[in-house]
Structure formats: C-alpha cells, structure tokens
C-alpha cells in the first residue's frame, strides 16, 4: 500500500477510478485484477505490488469511499438546523452533490450495499452498520424524539429512511435525473413529517 500512496496523486486517481469502476460493474468475485491493471495503464504485477491481493484492494476502496462520503457532509450546517427532517434533507442534498462530483465512488458504494462475496460479507455488514450509526448521529438529535406523536417511532423511521436511501442510490446510479428523484424524496419527507410529528411541530 505504501508504494501506491507514494505515487503522484493523478496516477493514484487513475488506478483508483479503474478499480472502482470494475468492482461496481462486476462485483467483487467477478472483477479481475488484470482488467483493472489494463484500465489503469499499468501491469498486473504492479497492481499486486501496490495492494498485495484483490481483497486488500477492495478493502482499501471501501475505506477510501467511506471516508470520502463522510467528508461530503457539512457538519456545522447540519448542527445549525433544529429539525430532524430538515437535517435529513440537507444531508441528502450534500450526499447527492458529492455523488454527482464523484460518479466512480457513487457507483462503487451502490455495489457494496449488495455485495454477496462470503469473504467480504462480515466486514461489509460491520461497515454498513458503522455508517448507519454515523449518519444517525449526524441527523437525529435527542430533542427530536419529543416531536413525534409516538417517540418510539423515531428509531423505526430512521431505519426506514436508511432503506429508502439505499433504494434512491440505485435510482441515482441508473438515472441522471437527480432533480426529479430528489423532488420525489422531498415529498416523501414532507409526508412522513406530517404523519409522524405532533401537530404543534408542524407549524
């Protein structure tokens, strides 16, 4: 890994994007180091010198994308917002804007969510749970729970939104009409807020 990280940033980006694209298209098991090397313009031997194994490369990409996606959130702006649904919307806009700027990352993250390779399953499930906890900390504050008609619904609603976000990611991956998808999501958030919040918090 040190040899890879010592490469010029432009070369790192070329190799990383080739790997992200290949894994996103074929999944972990069918992706080929040889194909990634060819797309990167380097030898297969060089790929193994940089990463050692395909699994190590995949795990590096997962960590890289996770960090990159977390950095897309403006925590200061989210903390300034006083409402759960507003924070969910703002975080979603930040995430989508990042996906627009980084299509290779977006495609790979979408694939990771459905990866079934046995040797990667446990690590990916742990990572997804960690990501969910991080997102919850960003958008759900303790004071939000009191706004719900039934406070116990808050956690269930958050889980529902996470599943909805996964579905949106697949839609966004296969459609360039970001505005239409986000408009639909905004409508869903407004509907949920109207149905789950106490009346005094709808003013």
């Amino acid at each position: 890994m040190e040899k890879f990280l010592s490469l010029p940033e432009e070369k790192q980006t070329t190799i990383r994007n080739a790997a992200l694209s290949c894994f996103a298209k074929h999944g972990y098991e069918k992706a080929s180091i040889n194909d990634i090397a060819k797309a990167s313009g380097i030898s297969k031997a060089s790929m193994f010198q940089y990463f050692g194994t395909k699994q190590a490369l995949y795990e590096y990409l997962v960590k890289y994308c996770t960090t990159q996606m977390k950095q897309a959130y403006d925590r200061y702006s989210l903390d300034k917002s006083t409402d759960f649904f507003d924070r969910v919307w703002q975080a979603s806009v930040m995430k989508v804007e990042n996906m627009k700027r980084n299509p290779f990352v977006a495609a790979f993250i979408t694939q990771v969510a459905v990866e079934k390779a046995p040797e990667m399953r446990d690590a990916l499930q742990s990572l997804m749970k960690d990501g969910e906890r991080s997102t919850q900390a960003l958008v759900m504050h303790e004071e939000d729970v009191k706004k719900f008609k039934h406070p116990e619904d808050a956690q269930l609603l958050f889980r529902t939104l996470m599943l909805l976000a996964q579905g949106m990611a697949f839609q966004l991956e296969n459609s360039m009409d970001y505005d239409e998808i986000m408009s639909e999501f905004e409508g869903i958030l407004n509907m949920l807020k109207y149905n789950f919040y106490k009346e005094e918090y709808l003013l």
Side-chain angles (χ1 to χ4, degrees):
M1 187 67 70
E2 289 182 8
K3 289 185 178 180
F4 172 73
L5 296 176
S6 68
L7 293 172
E9 184 59 36
E10 184 177 354
K11 189 66 175 177
Q12 288 186 44
T13 299
T14 298
I15 296 171
R16 192 163 47 235
N17 285 345
L20 289 169
S21 179
C22 189
F23 281 120
K25 183 177 181 180
H26 301 293
Y28 176 77
E29 291 185 327
K30 294 183 179 179
S32 162
I33 289 290
N34 190 51
D35 288 342
I36 295 172
K38 286 181 179 179
S40 304
I42 62 175
S43 68
K44 183 177 179 180
S46 293
M47 285 296 298
F48 283 114
Q49 283 183 346
Y50 295 150
F51 298 102
T53 65
K54 184 170 77 168
Q55 183 170 337
L57 169 59
Y58 192 87
E59 290 175 350
Y60 159 73
L61 293 174
V62 169
K63 291 176 183 177
Y64 171 84
C65 291
T66 301
T67 300
Q68 200 273 344
M69 293 296 284
K70 286 181 179 180
Q71 291 173 345
Y73 296 116
D74 182 345
R75 292 173 179 269
Y76 177 73
S77 295
L78 291 173
D79 286 341
K80 282 175 60 178
S81 181
T82 59
D83 183 75
F84 167 69
F85 286 96
D86 290 342
R87 286 192 296 274
V88 170
W89 171 249
Q90 291 173 20
S92 299
V93 170
M94 293 172 190
K95 182 175 182 178
V96 167
E97 289 302 315
N98 184 54
M99 291 173 71
K100 289 181 182 179
R101 293 190 300 268
N102 301 280
F104 293 106
V105 171
F108 179 76
I109 288 293
T110 301
Q111 184 279 328
V112 166
V114 296
E115 179 57 57
K116 294 181 173 62
E119 61 267 47
M120 300 303 301
R121 189 178 300 134
D122 290 344
L124 292 178
Q125 285 180 350
S126 176
L127 189 71
M128 296 291 280
K129 288 180 181 178
D130 178 64
E132 186 172 312
R133 285 192 293 267
S134 297
T135 302
Q136 183 170 350
L138 275 176
V139 301
M140 180 171 279
H141 296 174
E142 187 175 345
E143 60 270 23
D144 293 321
V145 177
K146 69 180 182 182
K147 300 178 182 179
F148 284 77
K149 294 174 184 176
H150 304 285
E152 65 273 15
D153 287 343
Q155 285 291 334
L156 181 59
L157 177 61
F158 175 77
R159 286 287 302 126
T160 301
L161 288 172
M162 290 298 295
L163 293 172
L164 180 60
Q166 288 183 22
M168 281 181 59
F170 285 108
Q171 281 189 288
L172 290 169
E173 175 60 22
N174 295 298
S175 170
M176 293 307 295
D177 198 345
Y178 288 87
D179 292 339
E180 181 180 347
I181 293 171
M182 288 302 288
S183 177
E184 183 180 3
F185 182 61
E186 186 176 22
I188 292 171
L189 286 180
N190 289 333
M191 176 192 68
L192 291 171
K193 182 175 182 177
Y194 180 81
N195 282 279
F196 279 89
Y197 264 16
K198 295 175 183 175
E199 188 171 348
E200 60 264 35
Y201 294 106
L202 297 175
L203 303 176

